[in-house]
Amino acid sequence: MSFNISCPTCGDRQVEEFQYGSEQEPRPSHESSDTEWNLYLYSKNNTPGKESEWWYHQYGCKRWILLIRDTSSNQVQSSIDPFMEAN
Amino acid sequence: MSKIMRTDRFPTGELIDRLKPIEFTFDGKKVAAYEGDTLGSALAAQNIKVLSRSFKYHRPRGLMCVSGKCPNCLVEVNGSPNIRACITTVENKMNVKSQNRWPSVKYDVFSVIDKLHWLLPVGFYYKSFYKPRFIWNLVRPIFRKAGGLGRINPKAKSILEKPHKAVFTEIAVVGAGLSGLSAALSAAEQGVEVTLIDQLEHLGGNNKDLLEEELVRKIIAKKSITIITGAPVFGFYPPNLITLDTAEEMIKLHCEKIIIATGSHEVPIIFESNDLPGVMLASGAIKLLKLYGAIPGNDAVIITESNEGYSQALELKNYGLNVVAVLDSRTEIEPQLSKPLEQAEIPVFTDVKSIQAIGTDYISSIKFYYADNWRYLDCDLACSSGRLQPALQLALQAGCSTEFNSNLNTLVPSEPPKQIFLTGGLIGISDKNDSSNHGKTVGLAAATNKPDLKFNIKDNSTNNTKFTNICSKNKRFICFCEDVTSKDLSQAIKEGFTDIQILKRYSTITMGPCQGKMCLTNFIRESSIETGSTQAELGLTTLRPPVEPITLGSLAGPGFIPIKRSPLHSKHLELGAKMVEVGGWIRPYSYIEALTEVSIVRNNVGIIDVSTLGKLDVRGSDAARLLDFIYVNKMSNLKIGKVRYGVMCLENGTILDDGTVARLSDDRFFITTTTTNIEMIESWFKWWLASDTNLDVALVNITSEHAAINIAGPNTRNILQGLTTTDISANKFPYMTVKESFIVDIPAIIMRIGFVGEIGWEIHFPSIYAEHLWDELYNRNVQAFGVEAQRILRLEKGHVIINQDTDSLTNPLEIGLDHIIGSTKSDYVGKNQIHQQYNRGIKRKLVSFTMHEKSPTPQDGSAIIHRGDPIGRVTSARRSPVNQKPFGLAILPYNLSIKGQEVFILINEDLYPAKVSLESIYDPNGTRLRA
Ligand code: FES
Ligand SMILES: [Zn+2]
């Protein structure tokens, strides 16, 4: 597997420079039930198709970015830096 | 006819150095060789013809392809199994053994299987020996002994782990034969940067000639072409990554475009007993003569179905062999083909219907059907000539489809994806002019992004008739790796396996060590004849990586991870420290003797370089809030000037890391992490920050920016007080506090903590002063100690090392950290799961143990046995310098983690008793630490 990810800070880079984090999912709150927590932790969607994911530019700017990636074709549709979005 | 003495060499032999004789042993016997020889050429020159026994029938096998593509010459070299003799250069005193034979390759008991082949029909493992059931149990051990390839030696030294390297290029050209060379040069002439790769050690390919040599000269002169030879490309991975296995490293080559020019190679023609030693590919025989002067035989018969056979017959004759005859399956031959042979007095038989090789251990004659008669020719070499198979694995992995090529009478890759280009023998081009012109065009197209590939290739298609099979008693091998005959194939098809993918799995053709290199073309051709479908209709089997065999060491090798050095590295070397690699750093193991260092720290004072600790500077009005959330401890109530031991968990409640948290001001914290984990912890903190961008926190990893020295031992205060104006008396600088101050004249963060269990300080300060401060301390007669002494000291205190004494499933409750969990916090990472765990109760616990002084010291990881069952493991163990008893930490089931409980530790296959204790063996109340 090899594809490019466009880092909002560094530009187009090989996927090897990045580290996969996880699917982007809201974290349950401390008031959520054990079942909700167990589902959040242990049952990942992992569906083929578009997925919103966290990736970390380990060998670059060392920033987290949010990708929309098609998991069946590895097409990256968008990548944003949450801090840049916030400003 | 005059015979040449067999052990003589011909005057040819470009690669051998006759002035440098060397020798090796083959199955215990000495074999003479020259420097430059391969094992295969040296054995051939000594007339040793049987190199191995086949996989299923244990038939004798000898050199066939002489290019590392068939399974016939697999031998064991210096204990490593499955090495190809024909491509392995001889080194003096190599110890070579034949495989798959017992007791010897000459007299192999299992060769009786050859006679019992009716017991082992195609797909026998699906249908024989099932009823009655007990039969399988009887035959299984025999099959296990007879089957398989080579033997793994469990005591062998571990294989070389090759480092992985990532390289980028604009255009990669795979294959440096005529077409590849032309493509590389014409692309480079357009100003593009090119990488040219070949699996051979030289450029120019197997048919290197004047034309190729001239191109090679130009290519070497071109700066923009990088040349990598001796590097098989073993896989293609989307979108455009190819992997190369060189002698020293595994290269991942990222390419913008790839020109595939992997060419084609000869494969065997199918006739009866076509696996007898002495039956070779013509190209193999020529290679032995040309490169090594080794004589594969005196009297050669050429078996062919194409024009190639005629030129190869003449070539062999030129090398001095007696060419007995050319046997051609075709009916009509152009006169200009047969003329030169007439002049060379080589008889030609056309329209030959059937062929059989005769001989017991190697070939002695050829029997063939010609003009309605059986005829015999004596010979000691039969060359299968001119059947070609394109090396299409890489092209297919890259996404090409296939089409039928009448030149080769086989399928070749076609319709390459956008960034892939094909040229040369791979797509059926055989004419030299065509090859170089097509290569040039493709190189230009790739370099200029104008894929305009109008190109007419000369049609050399020959009327490929096949050798029929008149008498059928003897085996005609299609697949040499798995011993599959044409009869097996037709049987499988009769049983209904007509889909090529299923047929492959059922018959196991193409599934052996050659991975189809010798049998794919033949498999598809024969299947097409048997099923009546065209080759194009049948299609190909899937050709997955690795294209070339590679060792596990190539895959398992480390990624490119630079080893880090502390700013005090040269000091350690000056002091003659023994260095080790720990957690990505090179660190002092010991300076004198670890145990001596331990006792100096316990009785006087020592220093250790702890610059490798991860260090984070965390600031901002929300810093305390963030730490409260990430650590299981409460950190917001930490007073300014105080230090706290902290543990962080993953959301699933398992321990991620530990370290100290020092509060320097209301909104500023200084954090240390374990040596190995800092990169991961940095990203962990940043992830939580990215998830809540409203938090006012700034985070800087100052690991390499800051050095750190730990000074510890009862005399520490005397030494340190001499270097600082800060009052470090017990009242003014108590245990678990921090001050920002100066040591000598160096600004430092000084923490009173004690990993090793003695009074001590950890001094963090800018790296540029590292050597300066080290010298100041060292010159006051302070002993330097290394990581081994530190490990013993901390173990005596029962201090845990994360990832050594814990694993990826350990939660804080299991290592007795219940008390640090911030129970008043509404939320923190891992809270839910830790609470669930708490309610369920824990199943195992980390405990201390001690053993009798006479018992050996267990290794880290030794099994713990209770009532005959393995129930836990030792995580750390050493021999105590205090009482000479082995002691350490171990993970035990919760119900056995009781003070005084006896368990047994498995050491070198014997059991030794150990007693569980719940407190550390040194200074359990921490009075020394707090002094
Ligand atoms: S003869 Fe060595 S691999 Fe074929
Ligand atoms: Zn980046």
Side-chain angles (χ1 to χ4, degrees):
Chain A
M1 180 194 73
S2 175
F3 56 94
N4 285 6
I5 290 176
S6 149
C7 170
T9 310
C10 313
D12 221 23
R13 299 299 182 94
Q14 297 277 343
V15 66
E16 278 85 352
E17 291 184 11
F18 297 82
Q19 231 167 45
Y20 174 77
S22 70
E23 291 172 5
Q24 190 200 13
E25 259 184 292
R27 179 180 184 267
S29 87
H30 62 279
E31 279 153 354
S32 303
S33 70
D34 287 354
T35 319
E36 277 172 77
W37 269 102
N38 294 349
L39 283 174
Y40 168 72
L41 281 166
Y42 299 111
S43 111
K44 294 287 166 189
N45 295 329
N46 200 23
T47 41
K50 270 189 216 168
E51 190 74 72
S52 177
E53 301 169 330
W54 284 106
W55 287 74
Y56 182 61
H57 200 181
Q58 171 80 49
Y59 300 109
C61 58
K62 299 204 173 213
R63 296 173 74 88
W64 282 96
I65 54 178
L66 277 167
L67 289 193
I68 308 240
R69 179 177 69 111
D70 187 322
T71 53
S72 46
S73 66
N74 283 329
Q75 289 286 333
V76 178
Q77 325 221 309
S78 75
S79 60
I80 58 162
D81 182 324
F83 285 101
M84 297 183 187
E85 278 300 285
N87 294 334
Chain B
M1 152 191 9
S2 73
K3 294 253 173 193
I4 307 150
M5 261 289 293
R6 288 300 332 205
T7 50
D8 279 358
R9 302 270 182 134
F10 276 172
T12 48
E14 312 168 355
L15 294 186
I16 54 168
D17 184 344
R18 273 162 237 261
L19 298 177
K20 294 192 182 137
I22 50 179
E23 64 174 36
F24 63 98
T25 58
F26 180 63
D27 283 339
K29 277 205 289 292
K30 283 189 180 153
V31 180
Y34 292 116
E35 216 158 82
D37 256 324
T38 64
L39 291 169
S41 65
L43 289 165
Q46 300 297 321
N47 203 19
I48 297 171
K49 294 213 165 170
V50 183
L51 299 190
S52 66
R53 289 276 169 173
S54 71
F55 179 70
K56 185 168 156 190
Y57 298 127
H58 282 246
R59 289 166 66 100
R61 294 278 165 84
L63 289 182
M64 180 166 82
C65 72
V66 200
S67 59
K69 293 194 174 71
C70 76
N72 281 14
C73 70
L74 291 176
V75 291
E76 183 184 306
V77 178
N78 296 339
S80 298
N82 296 331
I83 307 281
R84 285 183 158 92
C86 69
I87 50 170
T88 304
T89 310
V90 175
E91 281 162 28
N92 209 9
K93 303 271 179 302
M94 259 181 175
N95 179 8
V96 183
K97 288 184 186 146
S98 55
Q99 297 187 162
N100 282 27
R101 49 38 174 191
W102 188 80
S104 81
V105 76
K106 249 186 147 162
Y107 309 101
D108 175 31
V109 168
F110 289 112
S111 60
V112 66
I113 296 173
D114 195 22
K115 306 279 177 324
L116 301 177
H117 56 88
W118 48 271
L119 266 173
L120 306 171
V122 60
F124 75 92
Y125 36 81
Y126 295 126
K127 47 196 185 200
S128 310
F129 307 109
Y130 277 80
K131 280 178 193 164
R133 191 74 194 145
F134 72 90
I135 295 244
W136 177 240
N137 290 332
L138 288 181
V139 297
R140 187 176 51 196
I142 304 174
F143 280 173
R144 289 271 151 85
K145 192 163 166 106
L149 277 176
R151 292 277 172 263
I152 288 179
N153 176 0
K155 296 209 179 90
K157 271 205 230 100
S158 64
I159 41 174
L160 176 73
E161 281 186 15
K162 295 181 190 171
H164 292 187
K165 182 164 134 188
V167 182
F168 299 81
T169 188
E170 285 184 53
I171 296 183
V173 180
V174 184
L178 184 52
S179 56
L181 293 171
S182 315
L185 193 60
S186 82
E189 275 164 357
Q190 297 303 311
V192 180
E193 180 258 309
V194 175
T195 305
L196 177 63
I197 306 142
D198 201 283
Q199 80 183 105
L200 300 176
E201 296 293 343
H202 66 267
L203 297 178
N206 275 321
N207 306 317
K208 189 172 172 185
D209 219 332
L210 292 178
L211 201 56
E212 283 90 352
E213 265 161 29
E214 195 190 320
L215 282 170
V216 169
R217 265 195 301 278
K218 286 188 188 157
I219 279 174
I220 291 173
K222 250 227 149 15
K223 290 252 155 43
S224 56
I225 302 182
T226 309
I227 298 167
I228 309 179
T229 51
V233 174
F234 68 85
F236 173 96
Y237 303 86
N240 255 3
L241 171 74
I242 53 177
T243 46
L244 284 59
D245 191 32
T246 73
E248 295 85 27
E249 54 199 5
M250 206 271 265
I251 301 177
K252 297 180 185 169
L253 186 62
H254 300 267
C255 322
E256 272 167 33
K257 296 180 189 119
I258 306 175
I259 298 175
I260 306 181
T262 42
S264 62
H265 56 82
E266 223 167 25
V267 293
I269 291 173
I270 299 171
F271 53 87
E272 282 177 54
S273 302
N274 57 340
D275 68 326
L276 255 188
V279 179
M280 302 178 72
L281 300 183
S283 54
I286 290 170
K287 200 166 174 186
L288 284 177
L289 286 160
K290 184 176 173 194
L291 300 183
Y292 311 100
I295 307 161
N298 295 310
D299 308 308
V301 171
I302 313 291
I303 296 158
T304 191
E305 55 182 16
S306 74
N307 298 355
E308 199 69 13
Y310 294 75
S311 49
Q312 285 177 328
L314 289 172
E315 196 168 353
L316 287 171
K317 179 102 188 176
N318 282 343
Y319 284 124
L321 255 52
N322 169 36
V323 179
V324 181
V326 172
L327 310 182
D328 194 331
S329 64
R330 298 172 298 175
T331 34
E332 274 155 44
I333 306 300
E334 296 153 31
Q336 75 252 40
L337 261 187
S338 43
K339 255 271 151 39
L341 272 77
E342 254 167 55
Q343 282 158 11
E345 291 174 8
I346 301 173
V348 175
F349 298 85
T350 54
D351 201 15
V352 171
K353 288 272 184 302
S354 181
I355 291 183
Q356 182 194 341
I358 295 174
T360 39
D361 267 353
Y362 53 85
I363 190 166
S364 56
S365 62
I366 283 278
K367 173 179 164 186
F368 64 105
Y369 198 75
Y370 174 73
D372 297 332
N373 267 315
W374 285 108
R375 301 186 179 222
Y376 292 83
L377 290 171
D378 282 348
C379 64
D380 57 1
L381 175 68
C383 292
S384 174
S385 166
R387 188 175 279 190
L388 293 178
Q389 173 173 315
L392 41 60
Q393 288 95 329
L394 201 63
L396 260 56
Q397 283 170 22
C400 298
S401 43
T402 54
E403 67 186 17
F404 182 76
N405 179 281
S406 53
N407 267 357
L408 297 183
N409 185 16
T410 187
L411 298 173
V412 299
S414 65
E415 295 170 51
K418 215 166 87 223
Q419 313 293 12
I420 307 287
F421 299 81
L422 310 172
T423 183
L426 172 67
I427 51 170
I429 304 174
S430 53
D431 182 82
K432 280 217 158 187
N433 276 329
D434 281 354
S435 272
S436 82
N437 288 334
H438 192 267
K440 258 185 230 159
T441 318
V442 161
L444 192 69
T448 55
N449 283 322
K450 285 191 219 101
D452 180 22
L453 285 179
K454 297 259 155 43
F455 201 90
N456 285 329
I457 298 163
K458 216 184 287 160
D459 186 0
N460 286 327
S461 61
T462 44
N463 57 335
N464 276 288
T465 40
K466 82 171 190 133
F467 290 97
T468 49
N469 187 28
I470 295 176
C471 71
S472 59
K473 210 170 88 270
N474 296 293
K475 299 185 177 78
R476 304 160 74 237
F477 284 92
I478 299 177
C479 171
F480 291 75
C481 299
E482 305 270 313
D483 270 354
V484 188
T485 64
S486 56
K487 198 172 143 206
D488 292 330
L489 181 66
S490 62
Q491 176 64 32
I493 289 168
K494 279 197 198 99
E495 288 178 25
F497 296 95
T498 50
D499 175 89
I500 204 78
Q501 300 278 9
I502 309 284
L503 189 54
K504 159 187 145 183
R505 284 162 178 75
Y506 187 63
S507 67
T508 70
I509 297 179
T510 75
M511 285 168 68
C514 95
Q515 287 289 291
K517 289 196 196 73
M518 284 289 117
C519 52
L520 187 63
T521 290
N522 282 330
F523 175 40
I524 308 291
R525 270 197 211 191
E526 296 280 312
S527 305
S528 143
I529 294 165
E530 290 284 341
T531 57
S533 310
T534 65
Q535 295 191 33
E537 281 163 0
L538 282 173
L540 284 181
T541 55
T542 310
L543 303 164
R544 299 182 177 84
V547 175
E548 298 297 331
I550 47 168
T551 61
L552 290 174
S554 298
L555 298 177
F560 186 68
I561 302 165
I563 299 295
K564 290 178 268 192
R565 291 174 175 187
S566 122
L568 290 165
H569 187 75
S570 60
K571 283 286 157 201
H572 305 319
L573 297 188
E574 250 173 52
L575 295 175
K578 200 158 85 180
M579 306 298 280
V580 283
E581 196 204 314
V582 210
W585 292 79
I586 180 109
R587 301 188 65 182
Y589 175 84
S590 63
Y591 298 83
I592 38 175
E593 225 270 306
L595 288 177
T596 319
E597 291 169 18
V598 166
S599 94
I600 294 174
V601 174
R602 288 278 182 249
N603 300 310
N604 189 355
V605 54
I607 47 171
I608 179 169
D609 174 12
V610 288
S611 307
T612 59
L613 283 170
K615 310 170 201 79
L616 290 178
D617 186 316
V618 187
R619 305 181 187 206
S621 57
D622 288 322
R625 223 175 105 199
L626 178 74
L627 299 186
D628 262 356
F629 183 68
I630 289 186
Y631 284 91
V632 301
N633 320 58
K634 189 148 184 150
M635 292 299 177
S636 53
N637 62 2
L638 186 64
K639 299 226 164 58
I640 295 168
K642 289 274 190 190
V643 180
R644 188 167 284 168
Y645 170 73
V647 169
M648 35 188 135
C649 286
L650 290 169
E651 205 70 277
N652 68 4
T654 62
I655 296 171
L656 180 63
D657 198 42
D658 70 350
T660 53
V661 177
R663 190 166 204 166
L664 301 177
S665 68
D666 195 39
D667 60 355
R668 184 169 164 230
F669 292 83
F670 175 70
I671 291 173
T672 64
T673 75
T674 55
T675 295
T676 340
N677 279 348
I678 178 62
E679 298 279 318
M680 186 254 290
I681 298 301
E682 182 188 357
S683 92
W684 183 242
F685 271 75
K686 284 182 171 173
W687 190 51
W688 289 109
L689 286 174
S691 310
D692 184 355
T693 51
N694 292 322
L695 283 176
D696 171 30
V697 179
L699 175 87
V700 185
N701 177 355
I702 52 169
T703 301
S704 44
E705 210 275 311
H706 272 54
I709 295 171
N710 185 231
I711 176 165
N715 280 338
T716 301
R717 201 169 267 130
N718 298 339
I719 302 293
L720 202 58
Q721 193 62 84
L723 294 171
T724 181
T725 52
T726 307
D727 186 349
I728 59 167
S729 62
N731 293 338
K732 288 284 159 50
F733 209 148
Y735 185 55
M736 294 308 261
T737 59
V738 58
K739 286 194 199 317
E740 283 185 280
S741 175
F742 287 85
I743 305 254
V744 199
D745 43 2
I746 302 164
I749 299 170
I750 311 163
M751 293 195 278
R752 170 98 197 266
I753 52 176
F755 187 52
V756 298
E758 298 293 341
I759 172 175
W761 280 267
E762 200 168 88
I763 308 162
H764 294 260
F765 57 101
S767 301
I768 41 165
Y769 304 119
E771 299 193 341
H772 178 40
L773 181 53
W774 178 270
D775 286 342
E776 287 286 349
L777 293 165
Y778 193 79
N779 294 339
R780 285 173 167 74
N781 264 331
V782 178
Q783 175 63 46
F785 64 102
V787 286
E788 178 57 17
Q790 188 197 34
R791 292 207 156 198
I792 299 171
L793 289 160
R794 71 89 198 179
L795 194 57
E796 285 186 318
K797 276 298 290 173
H799 284 160
V800 171
I801 297 182
I802 299 300
N803 287 337
Q804 163 84 27
D805 303 303
T806 66
D807 55 42
S808 56
L809 292 176
T810 312
N811 64 53
L813 308 173
E814 290 172 344
I815 61 169
L817 290 178
D818 320 37
H819 61 279
I820 72 162
I821 294 173
S823 50
T824 58
K825 292 194 293 182
S826 67
D827 197 7
Y828 59 87
V829 182
K831 179 175 183 185
N832 174 276
Q833 297 291 310
I834 290 175
H835 276 247
Q836 286 195 41
Q837 188 71 55
Y838 182 79
N839 292 335
R840 276 199 301 271
I842 52 168
K843 297 217 169 51
R844 51 181 203 162
K845 190 148 195 210
L846 188 74
V847 298
S848 301
F849 68 87
T850 49
M851 302 178 77
H852 193 270
E853 60 191 73
K854 291 228 175 69
S855 75
T857 312
Q859 286 199 327
D860 298 349
S862 301
I864 298 179
I865 311 289
H866 183 60
R867 302 208 175 117
D869 287 329
I871 46 138
R873 65 168 205 279
V874 172
T875 62
S876 302
R878 294 290 188 274
R879 186 170 293 273
S880 166
V882 182
N883 57 17
Q884 301 311 312
K885 292 179 182 170
F887 74 105
L889 294 170
I891 291 184
L892 284 184
Y894 187 67
N895 59 342
L896 296 179
S897 60
I898 310 163
K899 184 172 179 176
Q901 170 74 42
E902 192 181 57
V903 290
F904 290 88
I905 299 179
L906 186 66
I907 308 170
N908 299 329
E909 309 194 358
D910 279 320
L911 293 177
Y912 296 88
K915 272 224 162 51
V916 171
S917 59
L918 295 179
E919 55 189 23
S920 62
I921 70 164
Y922 182 78
D923 187 26
N925 301 324
T927 33
R928 295 178 67 94
L929 194 57
R930 283 161 226 269

